[in-house]
Amino acid sequence: MRRAASLAVAVLGALSGCSLSPRYQRPSVPAAPDSYKEAGEWKLATPADATARGRWWTMYQDRELDELERQATDANQSLRAALARLDQARAQTRMARAAWFPTLTAQANATRSQTSLNSPTYTPGKPPIGNVFTAGADVSYELDVFGRVRNTLAGARASEQASAGDVAALDLSVRAELASDYFTLRGLDIEQQLLDHTVTEYARALQLTQNLYHGGAAAIADVQQAQAQLESARTQAEETRLRRAQTEHAIAVLVGRQPADFSIAARSGGGDLPVPEVAPGLPSELLERRPDVAAAERRVAAANAGIGVARAAYFPVFSLLGTAGVESTTASNWIGAPSRFWSVGPQALMTLFDGGLHAAQSAAAHAAYDEQVANYRGTVLTAFQDVEDNLAALRQLQRESVSQAAAVTATQGALDQANLRYKGGLVTYLEVVSSENAALAAHLTAVDISIRRTNATVLLVKALGGDWQRR
């Protein structure tokens, strides 16, 4: 008997190496091109040895931005929520791993009961009322013959890795959004200075026009045009203040602060925003660096393991069961050798009819796998699109900045000439107004292009999955 039991255990142990999940292979994706179409003449950047890996925002050399990024690490609530989800995934992995070990339970009870005198189990002559004292332990262990436990654990591990990728992707997204908002705010500072200066100049022009009108050298229409121009500039200045306030509030939330208690001092001085040199590297590296791509691939692996779990449901579940303890009708001999009992042996449990439940579960597992494969391929394509979009934006915005600088120079020259011609009585004030409006619009457009260029570098970092510097 012992020999037969040992043989059965050995056979079941050998079968436990079986797995019904398909052999996992990373889904194919469109082949990565040899280079980015929009890369143009970009060259490889020289890495700075002192720059920590992944701290890509330090290349902008702005200490205030560095401090804001540091605050976002611990205070951003979205990141905290993502980290909590990762902890849940890790706990799920430990729960799945627990199935590798036996389950041991213990119980003890004491009961007093009366047996019916008409019960078939009642023995005449014996008292119908009695006590039963029991103490024992049960042990059970599932033999993973068809890989159900193994695939459940593999799926949990892959889901945990996907959650870790989600955290990294969200961290990258939050930091990119913070940098983008920060540079937008600094661009608005430049616009605010320009508009405030313009309001001052327009107020002086209005005063001059009023003086000319009172002296009989200008028409009332000139005064009205100067007044309208001044008020329009004031409106633009106030709108810029509103945009800056809302941008500042967005930054406060990203760093986990109350907007009412958070402020960033306006920075004086004009000039363009920083635009670091970009070197995106090889397209194939994108698949390895983008955390959302890695997370999508891990979800495919988890879905593949889920197919194995669904297939295993068609087969018996083999377990080893054991029970041991003591039982007696009196407390005096409850704990003693004659009161001992035990049992041990294998068990096989198989569902013979379930109304198509297992078939539906298997179909759902295959459909879930197909969904994750499609999501993975879509994520890869979107990743390449993000890089191409922002490379194109950088190239085109650089060209726009050159042409817009020329436009600023030209409109300023036209304004100077219009002022001279007006003072000489050669033109009406309408020409001055038109030239001033064109010059202001050209300056504001130049600032907007500067903001967009810097934000394009931030978005390119996000598209590449992090710093493009080679370490």
Side-chain angles (χ1 to χ4, degrees):
M1 183 69 180
R2 290 182 178 178
R3 183 176 300 176
S6 300
L7 179 60
V9 171
V11 172
L12 292 175
L15 289 174
S16 65
C18 176
S19 175
L20 298 178
S21 64
R23 182 175 180 179
Y24 179 68
Q25 292 182 340
R26 180 181 297 180
S28 61
V29 295
D34 294 333
S35 62
Y36 294 108
K37 181 180 71 172
E38 304 292 350
E41 299 298 326
W42 299 113
K43 63 180 180 180
L44 189 65
T46 303
D49 295 338
T51 303
R53 179 174 177 82
R55 292 172 54 86
W56 51 266
W57 55 88
T58 59
M59 65 185 169
Y60 296 99
Q61 299 181 357
D62 190 309
R63 292 183 179 180
E64 196 162 7
L65 174 61
D66 295 345
E67 175 59 23
L68 290 172
E69 294 286 359
R70 185 195 65 78
Q71 294 178 29
T73 301
D74 302 321
N76 185 270
Q77 298 306 306
S78 295
L79 284 176
R80 286 188 174 184
L83 289 170
R85 289 192 294 272
L86 177 58
D87 289 339
Q88 294 175 45
R90 288 170 175 167
Q92 291 291 337
T93 300
R94 294 196 298 272
M95 291 166 59
R97 188 183 296 116
W100 281 114
F101 302 94
T103 299
L104 178 64
T105 60
Q107 73 281 337
N109 60 72
T111 60
R112 182 175 179 80
S113 61
Q114 175 178 328
T115 303
S116 170
L117 298 180
N118 296 321
S119 170
T121 60
Y122 172 68
T123 302
K126 289 187 176 182
I129 299 176
N131 300 323
V132 177
F133 300 90
T134 306
D138 298 322
V139 63
S140 62
Y141 177 66
E142 179 180 344
L143 297 173
D144 194 26
V145 178
F146 299 105
R148 188 192 70 82
V149 174
R150 190 180 317 110
N151 285 317
T152 300
L153 178 56
R157 282 174 174 166
S159 295
E160 177 186 338
Q161 293 167 349
S163 294
D166 290 340
V167 171
L170 181 60
D171 180 77
L172 179 62
S173 179
V174 167
R175 294 186 182 281
E177 184 178 355
L178 175 57
S180 180
D181 286 348
Y182 177 79
F183 288 125
T184 297
L185 183 139
R186 288 308 179 203
L188 291 173
D189 284 345
I190 298 174
E191 289 188 8
Q192 192 67 62
Q193 293 177 58
L194 176 62
L195 287 168
D196 288 344
H197 175 73
T198 299
V199 168
T200 301
E201 291 298 316
Y202 284 2
R204 291 175 182 172
L206 174 60
Q207 185 62 51
L208 176 61
T209 306
Q210 287 174 336
N211 293 338
L212 291 173
Y213 169 71
H214 292 308
I220 186 62
D222 292 350
V223 177
Q224 293 171 337
Q225 288 171 348
Q227 181 69 45
Q229 187 179 40
L230 173 61
E231 297 306 326
S232 177
R234 283 175 175 167
T235 301
Q236 287 183 277
E238 294 305 320
E239 177 64 21
T240 300
R241 288 189 177 90
L242 171 60
R243 291 172 56 198
R244 188 189 191 280
Q246 292 175 336
T247 303
E248 188 177 69
H249 299 162
I251 293 174
V253 172
L254 289 173
V255 298
R257 300 276 297 278
Q258 283 280 3
D261 303 327
F262 179 83
S263 64
I264 300 176
R267 184 173 293 177
S268 59
D272 293 332
L273 298 174
V275 182
E277 185 179 8
V278 178
L282 297 175
S284 59
E285 293 176 349
L286 185 64
L287 300 181
E288 302 170 358
R289 300 185 49 173
R290 284 267 298 226
D292 58 337
V293 172
E297 186 273 331
R298 287 292 81 202
R299 287 190 169 87
V300 176
N304 186 78
I307 294 176
V309 174
R311 286 178 174 175
Y314 285 102
F315 298 88
V317 176
F318 294 97
S319 303
L320 290 176
L321 304 178
T323 302
V326 291
E327 184 179 35
S328 177
T329 58
T330 61
S332 59
N333 63 359
W334 182 18
I335 309 299
S339 299
R340 290 182 298 181
F341 68 89
W342 62 269
S343 66
V344 63
Q347 180 190 67
L349 179 64
M350 183 176 181
T351 302
L352 298 180
F353 178 76
D354 60 7
L357 174 63
H358 289 164
Q361 290 174 335
S362 180
H366 282 85
Y369 174 81
D370 293 339
E371 176 190 6
Q372 296 304 329
V373 169
N375 288 340
Y376 171 64
R377 289 171 175 162
T379 302
V380 171
L381 290 173
T382 300
F384 284 119
Q385 177 191 353
D386 291 343
V387 176
E388 297 286 6
D389 284 350
N390 289 289
L391 285 173
L394 280 172
R395 185 184 70 246
Q396 295 303 124
L397 288 171
Q398 193 277 333
R399 294 175 180 173
E400 289 181 25
S401 68
V402 173
S403 60
Q404 191 60 34
V408 168
T409 301
T411 54
Q412 187 61 47
L415 175 58
D416 294 339
Q417 290 297 316
N419 281 320
L420 292 174
R421 288 160 63 84
Y422 176 69
K423 292 176 182 178
L426 299 177
V427 296
T428 65
Y429 193 70
L430 180 61
E431 182 173 331
V432 177
V433 171
S434 177
S435 298
E436 286 177 334
N437 289 338
L440 177 60
H443 279 91
L444 292 176
T445 301
V447 176
D448 180 67
I449 291 173
S450 179
I451 296 173
R452 292 167 61 197
R453 286 185 69 194
T454 300
N455 284 343
T457 64
V458 174
L459 294 176
L460 181 57
V461 168
K462 180 182 177 182
L464 292 171
D467 188 0
W468 54 67
Q469 304 280 4
R470 292 178 183 267
R471 306 298 175 194

